[in-house]
């Protein structure tokens, strides 16, 4: 299997997403920091792969919404965790959802 982000493999990314989206009370803030950093690392690699595919691909149906989603993800990665436990959990969950979307969009050769 080829690494999706140069370091993390698809199954590792998926496990991180599942941990971040686990229902229930938020984990300790330190754990949220680790999850955020892991997700940001995965998002960077996946984002680059999806962006490259978008740039090279011919004009396809749905390209506009995908382009907008990529730009929204870029914004989301710059938000940060905030000071509170709930804001940190909400941000980590948002990053996990964006990471899942990127993983689903990622070309097969980049991480599957």
């Amino acid at each position: 299997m080829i690494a999706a982000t140069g370091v993390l493999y698809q199954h590792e990314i998926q496990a991180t997403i599942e941990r971040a989206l686990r229902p229930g009370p938020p984990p300790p803030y330190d754990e949220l920091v680790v999850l955020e950093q892991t997700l940001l690392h995965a998002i960077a690699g996946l984002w680059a792969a999806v962006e490259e595919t978008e740039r090279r691909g011919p004009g396809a149906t749905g390209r506009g919404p995908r382009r907008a989603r990529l730009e929204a993800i870029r914004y989301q990665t710059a938000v940060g965790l905030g000071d509170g436990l709930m804001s940190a959990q909400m941000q980590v969950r948002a990053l996990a959802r964006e990471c899942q979307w990127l993983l689903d969009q990622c070309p097969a050769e980049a991480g599957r």
Side-chain angles (χ1 to χ4, degrees):
M1 179 182 299
I2 299 171
T5 63
V7 176
L8 295 175
Y9 290 94
Q10 178 186 1
H11 68 278
E12 294 171 317
I13 295 169
Q14 193 64 54
T16 301
I17 291 168
E18 289 168 9
R19 264 196 336 264
L21 294 175
R22 189 174 297 142
Y29 193 87
D30 291 348
E31 187 177 330
L32 291 169
V33 170
V34 171
L35 283 169
E36 178 204 32
Q37 292 305 306
T38 304
L39 288 166
L40 288 173
H41 179 72
I43 286 170
L46 294 169
W47 195 94
V50 173
E51 169 71 12
E52 180 63 24
T53 300
E54 284 292 305
R55 245 182 345 105
R56 288 185 310 179
T61 304
R63 190 174 193 161
R66 280 193 307 273
R67 188 90 221 112
R69 182 80 183 256
L70 285 170
E71 291 307 313
I73 291 169
R74 180 176 282 187
Y75 170 79
Q76 188 68 46
T77 60
V79 171
L81 291 181
D83 294 329
L85 190 57
M86 291 307 292
S87 68
Q89 183 185 35
M90 289 174 57
Q91 174 64 3
V92 164
R93 287 183 175 181
L95 290 173
R97 287 188 296 274
E98 300 297 15
C99 191
Q100 183 66 64
W101 183 83
L102 286 168
L103 195 58
D104 293 343
Q105 302 299 309
C106 199
E109 65 275 6
R112 298 185 189 252

